[in-house]
Amino acid sequence: MINKVDVLAIGAHPDDVELGCGGTLAKIISEGKRVAILDLTQGELGTRGNLEIRREESQKAAEILGVKHRENLKLKDGFLVNSEQYQLRIVEAIRKYQPEMILCNALDDRHPDHAKAAKLVSDACFLSGLRKIETSIEGDLQAAWKVKHIFHYIQWRELKPDFVIDITGFIDKKIECCMAYASQFYNPTSNEPITPIATKDFYESISYRAQNIGRQTGVEFAEGFNTAQTIALKNFDGIVW
């Protein structure tokens, strides 16, 4: 079974993708690109909410963005490891969706799962292209698939981006899909414990961090990305001066 997409956005936890690259996804979907989201864990160790609530919130966020498919591998939250078992689960997903590009967790971040996921996904991308690694879904043998580009969105830590995507005009959609996770973020009427991402400051930071990255690059709002690849440009026409 193949559900071909242009971009596969991967997050260690539900809401990672929305916070890290929600504006970028909204923009490329508006341009006709096909996008799928893969959550590695269910975020079951999160202080607020529960599995059922977070599952409903993640589906609502996907509907807001207009992604083609969203699935959760249900790996162990808080204990991601770069193991053969986990690598092969992600290889199966990559071969299922056959993306040209993968967007995934930050290379370095406050939550240990984020950097672990970044390495795990990068390694799985390499393995996905090896024909002698056999994987199957529902009994059907999968073909090897090489991902052209792997980029890492920026999360809690303010890493210096290697490049940014102009999301001017899509910041409202980014905030809307993030706030679909009502159990996780700022809500002055909630009786649940306050966490670092459940504060008013964090809610406001979704906008002002994008605005700050945009200010540094000559646009109103932007999202930053890191890459271990060398990027080749056909010409300079796509660069915002």
Side-chain angles (χ1 to χ4, degrees), residues 99-125:
E100 304 301 316
M101 179 188 301
I102 282 182
L103 306 178
C104 61
N105 287 97
L107 292 167
D108 180 38
D109 210 42
R110 170 179 170 270
H111 195 303
D113 272 352
H114 294 171
K116 290 179 182 178
K119 176 62 174 170
L120 175 58
V121 171
S122 293
D123 288 352
C125 286

Side-chain angles (χ1 to χ4, degrees), residues 98-152:
Q98 296 187 343
E100 304 301 316
M101 179 188 301
I102 282 182
L103 306 178
C104 61
N105 287 97
L107 292 167
D108 180 38
D109 210 42
R110 170 179 170 270
H111 195 303
D113 272 352
H114 294 171
K116 290 179 182 178
K119 176 62 174 170
L120 175 58
V121 171
S122 293
D123 288 352
C125 286
F126 179 84
L127 297 175
S128 175
L130 302 182
R131 291 184 297 168
K132 290 185 178 180
I133 293 180
E134 295 187 357
T135 58
S136 61
I137 289 185
E138 298 178 358
D140 294 328
L141 193 65
Q142 295 179 299
W145 183 260
K146 291 186 178 181
V147 179
K148 292 180 181 177
H149 304 291
I150 308 164
F151 301 131
H152 303 269

Side-chain angles (χ1 to χ4, degrees), residues 102 107 148-154 160-163 224-231:
I102 282 182
L107 292 167
K148 292 180 181 177
H149 304 291
I150 308 164
F151 301 131
H152 303 269
Y153 46 80
I154 293 172
K160 181 179 180 181
D162 294 313
F163 67 92
F225 295 85
N226 293 120
T227 177
Q229 299 173 293
T230 299
I231 301 175

